[in-house]
Amino acid sequence: LMKDDKKADLQNILQYHVTTSSLKAEYLSVGMYLGMVNGDKVTISVKDGKIVLNGSATIVASVPASNGMIHVIDAVLLPPAKK
């Protein structure tokens, strides 16, 4: 992903990790969708009392920041394949 011909792919993955909203984890609920900067959406679910993104990445910590909220996750989110 660091090669010149893959920069767009890397940019898409990185932008899929930034939401267009600023919500605390406790405001996220099952079935909710978050719009991401790359234009795709992430689906919220709950497993064993923990918030899960796209069924695979669990929020392990949330850190307030001056411009929003940072949710630390335990996996890399990959954007859905373009149709």
Side-chain angles (χ1 to χ4, degrees):
L1 290 173
M2 297 302 292
K3 295 185 179 189
D4 287 341
D5 63 331
K6 296 291 184 181
K7 282 188 178 182
D9 293 335
L10 178 59
Q11 180 179 13
N12 189 35
I13 292 169
L14 293 174
Q15 289 180 348
Y16 194 58
H17 285 77
V18 179
T19 183
T20 56
S21 59
S22 176
L23 296 171
K24 293 181 178 182
E26 57 262 23
Y27 297 140
L28 302 176
S29 60
V30 175
M32 180 183 242
Y33 292 95
L34 293 177
M36 306 311 273
V37 171
N38 76 340
D40 290 316
K41 294 179 182 175
V42 167
T43 304
I44 305 299
S45 60
V46 177
K47 183 177 181 184
D48 299 327
K50 297 182 180 178
I51 303 294
V52 180
L53 310 176
N54 286 351
S56 63
T58 302
I59 296 178
V60 296
S62 295
V63 181
S66 62
N67 62 344
M69 184 69 67
I70 299 167
H71 297 292
V72 180
I73 58 175
D74 65 356
V76 174
L77 296 173
L78 295 177
K82 299 293 180 191
K83 296 178 183 180

